Amino acid sequence: MMLALEMFRSLPRTVVGRAVGTRMPGLLSGVAAPLRLATLEAPVVRHPGWARLRTRLSGICGSDLSMLSGSTSLYFSALVSLPFVPGHEVVAELVEDCEDLPAGTRVVVDPVLACAARGVEPCEGCAAGATNRCSRITVGDVSPGLQTGFCHDTGGGWGQQLSAHRSQLHPVPESLTDSQALLAEPLACAVHTALRAGVAAGDRVLVSGAGAVGLFVTLALRELTPAGEILVVAKHAHQRELAMALGASEVVAPHEVLRRVRRATGAFQLHPELSSAYLLGGVDVALDAVGSKASLETSLQATRAGGRVVLSGMPRPADLSAAWFRELEVVGSYASARVEPGGRSAFETALELAGHDALASVADGVAAYPLHRWREALDHAHSTGRLGTVKVAFDPRRTQ
């Protein structure tokens, strides 16, 4: 048996979360949360290539908060299997041998439950190394689930144990602390996003948002692409400082974006009736690192005709008029791939970036909570921008 936080089906709580969650996030760590601390059976390994893991740290992601608030699109309801233990940003150690990895090996988990993990023949995406585009995420040896942390059978990092397939496991270099390794999964997503952006030499790039996603994307853009100016949109002072340390050319507040881009590019700014301003002209590439209506519309409104807008945050409904009128290329960026352009796994690159000097303060500042303080942890995660924290996590080993 083990302790774990379990998400369960509750229509009343989901309705409350969707109605007031964004305005009163405290409710999502209280009566409105479809989450409970429970004593569960530890995951059982039934198929070759699988092994049990003991969780060391597991992050709280923006997608987890959206899930708890009920603001996640119903599109994803067919891609999960309730009840499940959340937690897809995972640092763990092997309880038993897993093929070439001995028990005790410290690993990070690529959460995507692709064909190899499901014991089925590779689909077109997996055969090409694009495991994040797997077409088999509802069939095979485990229950439906787009990722570990959204699947009933595997468990997740918000529990003391989980199970994973060898194809998901990446050994952690001894040089990295657990807190540095915790950054590997969101960094892998940032690597994938930066490479999906197709940045050409000297391109002006806008990163809309400076939470964990936006900050890590900024680092990946600077380290992995030939981007010229990188303009980052940030609300808080500590975000501005980190963005500059991670490679931003300049950081601006949300209300300054169009003015700054217009000045740099010579774009025309228009003011439609009863709607927000937008540019004719603008940056070459914009990356929405938040997923909110406001951040996505900022990205669309600040991008030149024929430019590219990359959806890195899980998007909410927004006005897509600019995408149609300015013939923008709108590109999705989901999770990370086993084989990225250049032939490497995003996790290989991410584990190298995790040791970057500029990320030391982020890793040192990880706020870790025991499972029984989950309400406090979620409150903290909802307020990271205001409180100056980049990453909040659970440490299921802790008792206080």
Side-chain angles (χ1 to χ4, degrees):
M1 305 298 287
M2 67 169 191
L3 278 179
L5 292 167
E6 183 180 56
M7 176 148 180
F8 59 97
R9 191 182 304 279
S10 172
L11 182 59
R13 296 189 187 202
T14 298
V15 169
V16 171
R18 291 180 75 91
V20 301
T22 56
R23 288 174 288 132
M24 303 175 65
L27 285 176
L28 305 180
S29 55
V31 295
L35 193 70
R36 58 195 172 204
L37 181 62
T39 301
L40 306 175
E41 295 284 346
V44 177
V45 172
R46 296 187 175 91
H47 304 285
W50 284 79
R52 291 175 298 150
L53 285 68
R54 184 176 296 109
T55 307
R56 299 173 68 92
L57 284 176
S58 184
I60 301 174
C61 174
S63 61
D64 297 320
L65 298 177
S66 295
M67 169 188 70
L68 291 171
S69 70
S71 60
T72 302
S73 169
L74 294 176
Y75 175 95
F76 296 100
S77 62
L79 303 175
V80 301
S81 46
L82 289 161
F84 59 77
V85 177
H88 60 276
E89 301 176 358
V90 183
V91 184
E93 59 190 28
L94 283 166
V95 174
E96 57 221 358
D97 295 347
C98 186
E99 297 184 358
D100 58 317
L101 299 179
T105 300
R106 195 166 51 123
V107 296
V108 290
V109 177
D110 178 349
V112 176
L113 291 165
C115 289
R118 294 183 168 279
V120 297
E121 288 296 314
C123 65
E124 184 177 353
C126 289
T131 44
N132 59 326
R133 300 180 186 177
C134 179
S135 300
R136 307 285 186 263
I137 51 178
T138 59
V139 299
D141 291 339
V142 293
S143 296
L146 69 170
Q147 295 186 6
T148 297
F150 299 94
C151 175
H152 173 74
D153 295 348
T154 63
W158 297 7
Q160 292 175 317
Q161 288 192 28
L162 67 154
S163 64
H165 187 263
R166 175 63 184 90
S167 62
Q168 298 178 271
L169 304 180
H170 298 268
V172 177
E174 291 185 7
S175 59
L176 296 182
T177 65
D178 284 351
S179 294
Q180 288 174 308
L182 180 65
L183 307 182
E185 196 278 337
L187 277 169
C189 296
V191 168
H192 182 69
T193 294
L195 297 178
R196 282 282 286 160
V199 176
D203 273 356
R204 283 192 174 94
V205 182
L206 173 70
V207 178
S208 182
V213 175
L215 291 170
F216 296 164
V217 165
T218 300
L219 175 63
L221 285 167
R222 186 56 76 199
E223 294 291 321
L224 304 176
T225 77
E229 183 180 57
I230 301 175
L231 181 67
V232 177
V233 184
K235 291 182 178 180
H236 305 284
H238 77 280
Q239 293 175 334
R240 291 193 286 271
E241 294 169 5
L242 270 173
M244 292 298 295
L246 292 170
S249 307
E250 188 177 350
V251 184
V252 298
H255 69 275
E256 300 173 322
V257 177
L258 294 188
R259 183 171 67 249
R260 171 62 183 81
V261 173
R262 179 173 59 84
R263 188 170 68 244
T265 64
F268 292 99
Q269 183 167 330
L270 303 183
H271 298 272
E273 295 181 2
L274 303 177
S275 186
S276 53
Y278 61 87
L279 300 180
L280 296 180
V283 298
D284 301 294
V285 180
L287 298 99
D288 172 24
V290 180
S292 69
K293 179 179 185 291
S295 64
L296 177 52
E297 290 182 355
T298 294
S299 299
L300 293 166
Q301 292 158 354
T303 303
R304 63 167 175 80
R308 182 175 297 110
V309 175
V310 183
L311 310 182
S312 184
M314 186 185 298
R316 289 177 176 82
D319 185 349
L320 298 179
S321 298
W324 172 76
F325 178 59
R326 306 307 288 159
E327 292 197 340
L328 302 179
E329 183 180 354
V330 180
V331 177
S333 178
Y334 164 68
S336 64
R338 169 67 63 177
V339 181
E340 297 283 357
R344 303 186 78 199
S345 161
F347 268 83
E348 291 181 63
T349 305
L351 284 166
E352 293 175 359
L353 291 178
H356 196 289
D357 289 343
L359 287 176
S361 63
V362 176
D364 291 344
V366 169
Y369 290 82
L371 293 174
H372 71 271
R373 289 171 59 192
W374 64 272
R375 299 181 191 277
E376 185 180 350
L378 293 180
D379 278 339
H380 192 163
H382 277 292
S383 305
T384 50
R386 178 173 57 83
L387 297 176
T389 309
V390 174
K391 181 56 61 179
V392 180
F394 288 111
D395 181 347
R397 300 167 299 176
R398 289 180 52 183
T399 58
Q400 45 179 313

